[in-house]
Amino acid sequence: MLYTVNELNRKYVRNINTRKGGVHIANEIIFTELKSNNVPLKDLAAALGLSELTLTQVLRFELEEKEQLNMLCMIGNLSSD
């Protein structure tokens, strides 16, 4: 399913206080969407022109909302392929 940025803004609300096991998960929404759409991390990395290792390092720290929405759009596009 293809998403527009406006649809993603409505679908996802950033919740800074999201906790899992008492520890904040950076970019949790990215990992949740990858898992729910059965898209491997290596496919997202390839679409971004990065290696899987580099993408993992980038995702360790919270990204800006615009960057997260861009990745969510790519995940949606990859899952529809």
Side-chain angles (χ1 to χ4, degrees), residues 1-19:
M1 176 176 191
L2 299 176
Y3 295 113
T4 65
V5 173
N6 289 334
E7 289 172 333
L8 289 171
N9 280 330
R10 284 188 300 254
K11 187 175 179 183
Y12 301 106
V13 176
R14 283 184 75 186
N15 185 358
I16 301 301
N17 297 321
T18 301
R19 301 282 177 185

Side-chain angles (χ1 to χ4, degrees), residues 37-57:
N37 289 320
N38 295 320
V39 176
L41 187 63
K42 65 180 180 178
D43 290 352
L44 178 60
L48 292 168
L50 302 172
S51 70
E52 187 174 359
L53 176 63
T54 303
L55 181 58
T56 303
Q57 291 172 344

